Amino acid sequence: MKFKNSLFFFLVFAFFQNVIAQENQQKITPAFLQYENSKWVDSVMKSMSPRDRIAQLFMVPAYSNKDEEHIQELLNLIENQKIGGVVFMQGNPKEQVKIMNRLQAASEVPLIGAIDAEWGLGMRLENTINFPYQMALGAIQGEDLIYDMGKEIAKEIKRTGLHINFAPVVDVNNNPENPVINYRSFGEDKQNVVKKALAYMNGMQDEHLLTTAKHFPGHGDTDTDSHLALPKINHTVKRLDSLEIFPFRKLINAGVGGIMVAHLDIPALDSTETPSTLSKPIITGLLKEKLGFQGLIVTDAMNMKGVTEGHEPGVVDKQAVLAGNDLIEFTEDVPKAIAEIQKAIKQGLITQEEIDEKSRKILAVKQWVGLDDYHRISPKHIEQELNTPEAKLLKRKLAEASLTVLKNTGDLMPLMRLDTLKIASVSIGSGEKTEFQNSLDLYTKIKDFQLSREAGTAEIDSLRKALKDYNLVIVGLHDFSIRPNNVLKLSDEVKSFISEIARNRQSVFSVFKNPYVLNKIDNIEDAGILIETYQDSPLTEELAAQLIFGGIGANGKLPVSIGTKFKAGYGLEVEGGIRFEYTLPEEAGMDSDILNTRIDSLMQVAMDAKAIPGGQVLVARKGKVVFYKAYGLHTYDDTIEVHKNDLYDLASITKISSTLPLLMQLYDEGKFDLSAGIDDYLPYFKNSNKEGIPFRQILAHQGRLKPWIPYWKNTLRKNGSYKWFTFKKDSSARFPIKISDDLWLHRHYKKKIYKAIKNSPLEKEAKYKYSGLAFYLTPEIVERLTGTDFRKALNNRIFDRLGATTLTYKPLEQFPLRRIVPTEHDYFFRHEPIHGVVHDEGAIMMGGVSGNAGLFADANDLAKLMQMYLNMGKYGGHRYIKESTLKEFSKTQFPENDNHRALGFDKPYLEYRGEDSNTAKDASKDSFGHTGFTGTMAWVDPEEDLVYIFLSNRVIPTRENTRLYELNIRTKIQQVLYDAIKE
């Protein structure tokens, strides 16, 4: 074959040795070619006129968000011009399916439908999934997830009635200033590009979706957007062959179905300044003959200025066909294009046989994708089917696997010893609290700040001053643009401030931007921790926060070099799984549909029945929080919605959340003995009927203690007034304990409570009888054994290290009233609604701090404590309690005495009692936890690695409301967890 371009002969010679080496390599023929001469293709070819066969080569754009006039234009092209296909652009999936069905019904030959969905349907269609951009995927180690993504994207595209994806991008991006490829590339390493592209390609093609590797012969090293002008690439043939063309050769050998040709001026391949889309030396000579590609050759969009400049619509499409393209995308003038090709046939520039060959190839694709047996696509449930939990989980896994840690000075991450850290977070580029900051807050107490992109000296000075109070600063560098381009729109003052913070090694930076911007920030590489996420989204923000605290790990590697700061392939590995990961149920082997629909339904039943006005439910499995929701209102007669960070009165869950963990620690230290009695630690109880009763019996609730004592009633005279030495209406040094605004308790009344406990009679038999009396005494026992104030010991030893900062007594000391859910309207003691203080009368008379009640928390922080128990004493990389101790305390102590209780912990009844049981039917015998009078439940099951938290205020407006018990809501929801576990 002769070519006008003399340079091509030099290209042939330059390629010669390479081609010889490649000849012995086994090539996989594109799968669709098996149908090129099938009976169906033959029959369709016979039914079409020569003109119709030309028309098969053209695809026009279609939009599912345009009006009927647009659809009529498409129908006209189908019915009168007999075009071969459409390329769907913006819109929504339901309308797209409806339109595609109409178009197919109007077409004599089934239409091929394509979409440019490089990162999934979300690139084009509303209410569909955006998978990570290819640069993020380039950071992933291994290709299995990318293969799975290819399969998922193929299924989704097919579900919308389409058959071709104009992906993957296989351009090697080695130009940081590339305005059009950049984040769309797998990176600068050609081998990595090939591995990732092959995985993506194979995933799609294994689902019978045609793929088109693009943008041939390589668009990575340009600084011009071919949508706006014709880029020029001035590399030698040798360089092009070894780098730009390398991925295309590999995918061709692996059987890629299609190749998309770019609009590029490449003098080394064609010296005539002809765009590569129109270049016969590049398409026919190089792609088809030298690289041996037999599949479908597709043009890039023919409305882009890189090809339209100086070329007339219709005429330019003819030139593309003459150059060797099979399928012309975005033809702007179909009738003229067909006429021009007919003219070219008459002129001998191309033969009808060559056109027929292209038409057969297109028909073969149509048969391979199943259009020989076309069925109408149903729009019913399409959005649900395009947003499956499995697809969402895959997206999460991909984003997580891409996270790249570039600095981790002194293994600072994951953050340990939260009790030693005073943390501030700064989101730069956001005017409001970000998802990143919300996710950071799940792990510990953090003060949040925002800094605008254009901040000046005054705003920065104010923030600088505020940050002096913190010993760790976490910075989120945000990018809320549609695409993560290599752009850094920050004021000089903000850039300087970022550099200042980075020089402090106690700084954490999470960059939610294109990695190339790191080269535009001085000293960013000096930060204590530096994380690159590649793009900004709620998901990447959430995952970055989890990485910082060890909920997840990271092993991503940079797919591109960042100047001289970091080279491609660099990335540190960080351990995860030491604290909660917040994820989807499917990642923990649970069914999200069962959890969501059934828990929502049961909570609605409870609220409709006025069993509770609202509540919180948290579920964790395998160390992963998979369900965490807030429901309803604070009270029945207000409009304040429950939020996930609202605090509830835990009631008796206090027993296992306050003194019990401290007693277990003291047991580990040899300071607390289960065989000892109260009198061994509180001598005041010597010579009482409590003397010698071992704590093993007491904590298992068979120490013969009375269930409770109504202490407040002991303060009343016979006429109903209070005894003078108990309460006063105003506070004073002698009456400092606030019960209500006009009720203040004597400072020594605790002694009266102790005396009442000491003098209380014992039950006749040592058998199970639930009692809270001993838990009034345990805080003082802890203080005697530790030499530390009880609350201080509890915070220092347990809560602060857990990051459980809402687990607290006296919540009004730390939290605004609006975050605390009210409890009962007290008409018999305090004579006021109870809000912000403990509901239990005995606990409020202990000053609000007791071992039997008084703790408040949100579900998330309570779950951290319960997860520590489930982990047999370990959480966040720290061991709180010995495993042997937790096993001892959480096992049933006296089953032979018909007692199901453990030490402090509740356990399932020895025999399941149906609706009267204290746990779900499927809760294992190893499970343990506690419930609370206010309508709470905290339970763990080691057998299924489950944590379950239920918080409510069922006592609003009165404790007489027992509908929560009657409906058995707590245990019914618990059973849902077991039902949701997948085998």
Side-chain angles (χ1 to χ4, degrees):
M1 184 178 292
K2 295 182 179 180
F3 300 97
K4 294 179 181 178
N5 183 0
S6 60
L7 283 178
F8 192 77
F9 289 104
F10 176 75
L11 176 65
V12 171
F13 178 78
F15 276 170
F16 185 73
Q17 288 183 321
N18 185 57
V19 171
I20 295 294
Q22 296 291 326
E23 280 178 348
N24 295 325
Q25 237 184 23
Q26 185 178 2
K27 269 198 183 107
I28 299 174
T29 303
F32 74 86
L33 289 175
Q34 63 186 295
Y35 298 110
E36 204 168 12
N37 295 295
S38 69
K39 291 182 180 179
W40 184 80
V41 171
D42 285 344
S43 67
V44 175
M45 286 293 291
K46 289 177 183 177
S47 72
M48 292 192 298
S49 68
R51 185 190 184 282
D52 293 347
R53 296 170 192 172
I54 296 172
Q56 281 295 302
L57 279 53
F58 298 106
M59 303 183 82
V60 297
Y63 295 80
S64 54
N65 61 355
K66 289 191 175 183
D67 57 16
E68 181 64 23
E69 182 180 352
H70 170 66
I71 299 173
Q72 289 302 320
E73 290 172 357
L74 294 172
L75 290 170
N76 177 58
L77 288 170
I78 291 165
E79 293 168 354
N80 298 321
Q81 301 301 324
K82 314 293 185 184
I83 59 172
V86 291
V87 183
F88 268 96
M89 301 299 288
Q90 286 77 20
N92 68 78
K94 197 167 188 177
E95 289 305 312
Q96 177 173 298
V97 166
K98 290 178 180 178
I99 292 170
M100 192 59 176
N101 284 337
R102 288 180 65 182
L103 302 184
Q104 290 285 23
S107 183
E108 295 174 8
V109 177
L111 296 166
I112 195 82
I115 193 166
D116 193 349
E118 294 168 19
W119 49 88
L121 284 176
M123 181 175 174
R124 300 294 177 192
L125 302 182
E126 300 169 357
N127 305 319
T128 57
I129 292 177
N130 275 307
F131 289 95
Y133 297 117
Q134 284 191 194
M135 187 170 286
L137 301 180
I140 295 174
Q141 301 307 290
E143 284 72 51
D144 290 349
L145 285 173
I146 297 172
Y147 173 81
D148 292 342
M149 183 191 76
K151 288 180 72 71
E152 178 59 34
I153 288 175
K155 290 175 184 176
E156 292 179 11
I157 290 174
K158 288 168 64 180
R159 179 65 183 85
T160 63
L162 307 183
H163 321 95
I164 299 177
N165 189 9
F166 292 143
V169 172
V170 299
D171 302 312
V172 180
N173 198 86
N174 45 14
N175 185 340
E177 301 307 319
N178 192 318
V180 64
I181 302 303
N182 204 296
Y183 62 88
R184 297 164 63 196
S185 166
F186 288 117
E188 70 179 50
D189 184 310
K190 65 182 183 181
Q191 299 289 354
N192 191 41
V193 168
V194 167
K195 289 177 184 177
K196 301 298 189 291
L198 282 173
Y200 190 8
M201 176 198 86
N202 285 327
M204 288 190 283
Q205 293 192 167
D206 283 355
E207 291 293 327
H208 275 234
L209 186 84
L210 192 82
T211 67
T212 56
K214 64 186 188 185
H215 305 81
F216 184 82
H219 206 322
D221 194 6
T222 67
D223 56 11
T224 303
D225 185 346
S226 54
H227 292 84
L228 307 175
L230 181 63
K232 179 174 282 191
I233 297 180
N234 286 311
H235 291 309
T236 65
V237 171
K238 183 178 180 181
R239 152 62 191 263
L240 292 166
D241 179 43
S242 64
L243 185 60
E244 275 78 8
I245 295 171
F246 180 84
F248 293 98
R249 180 184 297 114
K250 291 295 184 181
L251 265 68
I252 289 168
N253 291 341
V256 68
I259 297 283
M260 178 181 283
V261 183
H263 309 311
L264 301 168
D265 176 11
I266 312 175
L269 301 183
D270 188 333
S271 62
T272 64
E273 297 186 353
T274 301
S276 47
T277 334
L278 311 180
S279 171
K280 194 165 187 176
I282 291 175
I283 297 174
T284 300
L286 174 57
L287 179 57
K288 294 176 73 172
E289 295 180 359
K290 297 308 171 187
L291 296 180
F293 182 60
Q294 303 174 53
L296 195 70
I297 302 175
V298 185
T299 67
D300 206 342
M302 297 300 286
N303 64 344
M304 294 165 61
K305 290 192 181 298
V307 73
T308 60
E309 199 71 38
H311 296 92
E312 186 181 347
V315 176
V316 73
D317 303 285
K318 173 196 70 175
Q319 291 173 301
V321 172
L322 295 180
N325 292 285
D326 301 312
L327 195 58
I328 314 303
E329 181 197 359
F330 264 66
T331 301
E332 292 188 291
D333 191 335
V334 172
K336 186 167 185 177
I338 294 173
E340 286 291 325
I341 292 174
Q342 287 177 314
K343 189 188 302 182
I345 294 171
K346 290 178 181 178
Q347 294 171 342
L349 299 176
I350 192 169
T351 66
Q352 182 66 49
E353 287 73 23
E354 288 174 303
I355 295 296
D356 289 353
E357 181 184 341
K358 295 176 185 295
S359 188
R360 277 186 173 275
K361 198 183 287 188
I362 293 165
L363 290 174
V365 171
K366 292 183 178 184
Q367 184 170 5
W368 183 70
V369 299
L371 283 171
D372 58 326
D373 186 26
Y374 168 74
H375 296 281
R376 181 180 177 277
I377 303 294
S378 171
K380 193 174 182 181
H381 306 306
I382 187 166
E383 288 191 5
Q384 180 182 346
E385 292 172 22
L386 293 176
N387 290 277
T388 64
E390 291 75 17
K392 291 177 182 176
L393 178 58
L394 176 59
K395 174 181 176 177
R396 174 177 288 272
K397 286 182 176 180
L398 288 160
E400 180 180 336
S402 73
L403 295 178
T404 305
V405 177
L406 301 176
K407 288 293 293 296
N408 190 18
T409 306
D411 292 327
L412 179 60
M413 184 172 64
L415 299 179
M416 309 297 280
R417 288 303 304 267
L418 300 183
D419 56 315
T420 67
L421 298 175
K422 191 174 182 184
I423 306 173
S425 73
V426 180
S427 280
I428 297 176
S430 172
E432 56 188 22
K433 190 170 182 179
T434 61
E435 187 61 33
F436 180 53
Q437 292 175 314
N438 287 330
S439 297
L440 290 170
D441 289 346
L442 291 170
Y443 290 96
T444 191
K445 183 179 180 180
I446 297 176
K447 177 65 176 177
D448 301 314
F449 299 92
Q450 286 79 41
L451 186 68
S452 65
R453 288 193 298 268
E454 302 83 16
T457 303
E459 185 180 348
I460 290 171
D461 283 347
S462 176
L463 177 57
R464 183 186 289 114
K465 183 178 179 181
L467 293 179
K468 287 181 179 179
D469 293 333
Y470 300 88
N471 61 8
L472 181 70
V473 178
I474 300 175
V475 179
L477 187 54
H478 293 276
D479 186 348
F480 296 105
S481 58
I482 298 174
R483 304 282 187 262
N485 294 304
N486 183 10
V487 177
L488 189 66
K489 294 182 179 179
L490 299 175
S491 68
D492 290 339
E493 290 87 348
V494 172
K495 290 180 187 177
S496 178
F497 185 58
I498 291 172
S499 299
E500 176 187 324
I501 297 175
R503 287 192 294 268
N504 177 3
R505 297 306 174 93
Q506 286 295 104
S507 61
V508 180
F509 276 83
S510 187
V511 180
F512 302 104
K513 295 179 73 66
N514 186 306
Y516 286 127
V517 303
L518 293 171
N519 207 36
K520 300 179 179 182
I521 305 174
D522 294 338
N523 305 116
I524 190 75
E525 67 276 16
D526 295 330
I529 295 171
L530 180 58
I531 302 166
E532 172 59 51
T533 74
Y534 302 95
Q535 60 196 84
D536 199 346
S537 70
L539 177 58
T540 56
E541 292 185 32
E542 178 188 329
L543 292 173
Q546 295 190 39
L547 171 61
I548 291 167
F549 285 97
I552 59 174
N555 66 351
K557 309 292 182 187
L558 271 178
V560 294
S561 295
I562 312 301
T564 59
K565 293 181 178 181
F566 302 103
K567 293 299 181 186
Y570 181 76
L572 304 172
E573 293 192 10
V574 174
E575 175 192 8
I578 67 166
R579 292 191 181 92
F580 273 139
E581 174 183 356
Y582 297 82
T583 185
L584 302 174
E586 279 69 18
E587 191 162 4
M590 301 182 81
D591 188 307
S592 57
D593 184 57
I594 291 175
L595 283 177
N596 283 288
T597 57
R598 290 175 57 185
I599 294 177
D600 287 356
S601 175
L602 284 165
M603 287 298 287
Q604 194 61 52
V605 166
M607 292 185 292
D608 289 345
K610 294 195 180 301
I612 54 174
Q616 296 173 3
V617 179
L618 183 146
V619 179
R621 187 170 189 238
K622 300 180 179 180
K624 305 172 192 297
V625 175
V626 298
F627 186 98
Y628 184 18
K629 286 187 180 183
Y631 297 86
L633 305 172
H634 278 206
T635 68
Y636 296 108
D637 55 0
D638 67 25
T639 58
I640 302 174
E641 293 183 353
V642 177
H643 295 99
K644 290 193 291 187
N645 63 356
D646 287 342
L647 283 70
Y648 278 84
D649 185 331
L650 301 183
S652 285
I653 291 176
T654 300
K655 294 178 174 68
I656 65 168
S657 304
S658 59
T659 52
L660 189 64
L662 291 175
L663 290 177
M664 285 190 276
Q665 285 187 342
L666 293 167
Y667 179 84
D668 286 341
E669 296 166 13
K671 297 177 180 178
F672 179 70
D673 188 348
L674 289 169
S675 63
I678 297 172
D679 53 298
D680 288 301
Y681 302 111
L682 298 177
Y684 175 73
F685 279 81
K686 288 188 182 297
N687 302 317
S688 72
N689 59 359
K690 313 297 184 301
E691 183 178 3
I693 300 175
F695 262 102
R696 186 179 295 275
Q697 297 271 357
I698 292 169
L699 292 176
H701 297 278
Q702 68 169 46
R704 299 171 59 201
L705 276 65
K706 291 290 183 183
W708 70 294
I709 296 173
Y711 306 104
W712 68 276
K713 290 184 178 180
N714 296 335
T715 67
L716 295 175
R717 296 188 179 96
K718 290 183 179 180
N719 63 4
S721 63
Y722 292 115
K723 298 174 182 176
W724 73 270
F725 57 84
T726 57
F727 291 110
K728 298 293 182 186
K729 288 186 177 182
D730 294 308
S731 64
S732 66
R734 293 181 65 198
F735 294 86
I737 301 171
K738 184 178 181 179
I739 304 301
S740 67
D741 286 341
D742 56 0
L743 201 61
W744 296 80
L745 184 65
H746 194 279
R747 60 184 175 177
H748 295 314
Y749 194 79
K750 182 191 294 186
K751 294 179 181 178
K752 296 281 186 181
I753 293 176
Y754 281 18
K755 183 177 180 180
I757 295 172
K758 177 182 177 181
N759 294 336
S760 64
L762 294 174
E763 298 289 334
K764 293 180 180 179
E765 296 182 72
K767 62 181 183 180
Y768 171 61
K769 189 85 170 183
Y770 182 80
S771 172
L773 297 190
F775 288 92
Y776 285 88
L777 311 174
T778 49
E780 184 168 337
I781 292 173
V782 167
E783 289 182 346
R784 287 172 176 259
L785 294 178
T786 62
T788 307
D789 172 78
F790 172 63
R791 290 178 70 187
K792 188 174 182 180
L794 188 57
N795 289 328
N796 291 349
R797 285 173 167 248
I798 309 291
F799 295 165
D800 290 348
R801 291 192 178 193
L802 283 172
T805 54
T806 66
L807 255 175
T808 184
Y809 289 100
K810 299 185 176 182
L812 284 174
E813 293 179 353
Q814 302 178 58
F815 301 98
L817 188 64
R818 58 182 167 78
R819 280 189 58 186
I820 305 168
V821 180
T823 51
E824 186 174 7
H825 289 235
D826 184 349
Y827 294 108
F828 53 87
F829 175 35
R830 283 168 275 188
H831 302 286
E832 65 179 14
I834 308 304
H835 190 186
V837 294
V838 61
H839 165 271
D840 183 87
E841 297 85 11
I844 193 65
M845 294 178 76
M846 292 285 288
V849 181
S850 175
N852 76 303
L855 274 183
F856 287 70
D858 63 27
N860 183 57
D861 280 349
L862 178 57
K864 294 171 188 175
L865 178 69
M866 299 306 292
Q867 184 67 44
M868 183 269 282
Y869 289 155
L870 183 60
N871 294 344
M872 291 293 120
K874 192 173 183 181
Y875 184 80
H878 177 74
R879 178 161 290 284
Y880 294 82
I881 301 164
K882 289 180 181 178
E883 181 175 353
S884 58
T885 297
L886 249 168
K887 286 183 176 179
E888 179 63 31
F889 273 70
S890 63
K891 76 177 184 181
T892 300
Q893 296 293 310
F894 303 103
E896 71 283 354
N897 202 24
D898 199 27
N899 182 350
H900 66 282
R901 289 273 179 169
L903 297 174
F905 295 110
D906 196 2
K907 297 280 289 180
Y909 293 150
L910 298 177
E911 297 293 335
Y912 183 66
R913 303 177 188 174
E915 289 287 315
D916 294 327
S917 284
N918 64 337
T919 63
K921 180 181 180 181
D922 289 343
S924 78
K925 294 300 181 185
D926 289 334
S927 69
F928 58 95
H930 216 285
T931 55
F933 186 75
T934 51
T936 57
M937 184 173 185
W939 211 271
V940 300
D941 191 338
E943 191 172 294
E944 289 293 353
D945 211 350
L946 270 175
V947 174
Y948 168 48
I949 307 294
F950 180 98
L951 301 183
S952 77
N953 53 337
R954 68 98 196 162
V955 292
I956 196 85
T958 168
R959 67 185 63 190
E960 302 304 319
N961 178 13
T962 59
R963 295 186 190 96
L964 186 69
Y965 305 149
E966 294 159 9
L967 292 169
N968 217 21
I969 295 294
R970 292 179 294 187
T971 54
K972 283 180 179 177
I973 289 177
Q974 188 182 33
Q975 182 59 46
V976 172
L977 315 190
Y978 294 95
D979 295 343
I981 293 172
K982 298 178 180 179
E983 295 299 329

